[in-house]
Amino acid sequence: MSSKIHVIGIGDDGLEAMPTGVRQTIADAEVLLGTDRTLALVPKSKAARHTISGDLNQLVATIEKAGDKRVALLIYGDPMFYGLARYVSDRLGRDRFVVVPHVSSMQLAFARVMESWEEAYLTDLAKHPLDAVLEKIRSAQKVGLFTTDHCSPADVARALLDRRIDYFTAYVCENLGSRDERVTRGTLAEIAGQRFDALNVMILIRDPDAPDRPREAVGRRLFGNPDEAFIQSQPKQGLLMPAEVRAIALAQMDIAAQSIVWDIGAGSGSVSIEAAQMA
């Protein structure tokens, strides 16, 4: 029977914070895989070391090539929380793996700002483009974001402000667990003008009584708005579908947040506009 592949979470405190059994598993490993950051936390041994790159197919191939050797894959934080554990176990079979989690940097970040995170919207901007998550942020009470080199906290803040989503207090938690750890609190406008270390987690906490929509849109209906709410071209008045008919039509369409709507032969576009507010 082949040896189990251990996927082990590790933090900046290295082996010191790990139980004796986990330290022994790493010491006994014949093959160690990890990023430059995680491998640097482990003393040199007789194990063959392989640095993980962005090529996940290569990672799988390296594990497969190890055969029956004792393999330890070192992942920063919790390997099951936006980590590689799920990917490699899905590819190679879950029964071959043992996962040993460490505290996620997301957990540390919420602890640092003294906020619970069980109801927060959490995402990784390396896997989900910012444009795809902005509307989820709009209605969230709390948000936790793993940022990237290409989408920094300042980029997130500017994108939110461009959408007039200005009702969050922001925290940027840098280098969590290390000696140069820092937590910066500010408005989105303040965060938008700053630079931060690459290793950071961004947390957004909604201001009390903040609206779900731009402030000037408060009071408007999601659909079935009065006819006079639409600007109509002159002199082509009369192309607008009446509010009562529009409301019934849109209700019958049962549009969901992820729906794609095609409006064929749109007159004024009023149905499209209100459909877009629903989807």
Side-chain angles (χ1 to χ4, degrees):
M1 184 177 179
S2 59
S3 299
K4 291 283 189 179
I5 301 164
H6 285 77
V7 186
I8 300 172
I10 191 169
D12 283 324
D13 42 10
L15 300 183
E16 296 179 3
M18 291 184 172
T20 302
V22 178
R23 292 202 299 269
Q24 191 61 51
T25 297
I26 296 173
D28 292 341
E30 298 171 279
V31 177
L32 280 176
L33 300 101
T35 63
D36 290 333
R37 183 185 184 190
T38 57
L39 290 175
L41 295 169
V42 177
K44 294 289 185 180
S45 66
K46 294 181 180 180
R49 293 189 172 213
H50 299 274
T51 303
I52 298 172
S53 67
D55 187 347
L56 298 184
N57 289 326
Q58 182 59 47
L59 170 62
V60 171
T62 302
I63 296 174
E64 287 184 315
K65 188 177 180 180
D68 292 336
K69 293 180 179 178
R70 295 185 294 274
V71 177
L73 173 57
L74 304 178
I75 303 296
Y76 193 81
D78 185 348
M80 294 298 288
F81 187 67
Y82 287 106
L84 292 175
R86 181 176 178 180
Y87 177 83
V88 293
S89 63
D90 284 347
R91 288 287 301 273
L92 297 174
R94 296 189 178 191
D95 58 332
R96 296 181 60 186
F97 288 84
V98 173
V99 176
V100 181
H102 191 274
V103 175
S104 166
S105 55
M106 186 67 75
Q107 289 175 278
L108 283 176
F110 273 91
R112 295 295 187 266
V113 304
M114 296 298 293
E115 292 283 349
S116 62
W117 67 315
E118 65 265 19
E119 296 179 356
Y121 169 60
L122 310 174
T123 194
D124 185 351
L125 295 178
K127 295 179 172 63
H128 303 284
L130 181 57
D131 286 345
V133 304
L134 284 174
E135 289 306 311
K136 293 182 180 179
I137 294 175
R138 182 191 295 280
S139 59
Q141 293 296 319
K142 300 176 184 179
V143 179
L145 301 172
F146 289 118
T147 64
T148 71
D149 292 340
H150 303 294
C151 191
S152 68
D155 294 327
V156 173
R158 286 191 291 267
L160 290 170
L161 292 172
D162 288 345
R163 295 286 187 98
R164 301 176 187 175
I165 304 173
D166 59 353
Y167 38 76
F168 285 98
T169 297
Y171 299 85
V172 180
C173 306
E174 302 168 83
N175 304 315
L176 289 166
S178 61
R179 292 181 179 179
D180 56 347
E181 176 182 305
R182 183 176 70 158
V183 177
T184 302
R185 178 183 186 274
T187 64
L188 291 174
E190 291 169 339
I191 298 299
Q194 299 184 48
R195 299 183 65 179
F196 301 93
D197 287 346
L199 298 175
N200 71 73
V201 176
M202 186 176 189
I203 293 178
L204 304 173
I205 305 297
R206 190 185 189 88
D207 297 337
D209 303 320
D212 287 345
R213 291 176 281 166
R215 299 184 191 282
E216 68 274 13
V218 175
R220 296 183 189 173
R221 304 168 193 166
L222 197 60
F223 65 97
N225 286 280
D227 296 347
E228 56 270 19
F230 296 88
I231 299 174
Q232 302 180 60
S233 61
Q234 300 290 342
K236 297 181 181 179
Q237 295 277 1
L239 292 178
L240 187 74
M241 181 180 288
E244 296 82 0
V245 179
R246 190 180 340 111
I248 293 172
L250 286 165
Q252 291 297 317
M253 289 167 69
D254 191 23
I255 297 172
Q258 302 302 318
S259 296
I260 298 174
V261 180
W262 291 74
D263 191 350
I264 307 300
S268 66
S270 62
V271 173
S272 300
I273 290 169
E274 294 196 333
Q277 292 188 136
M278 300 166 68

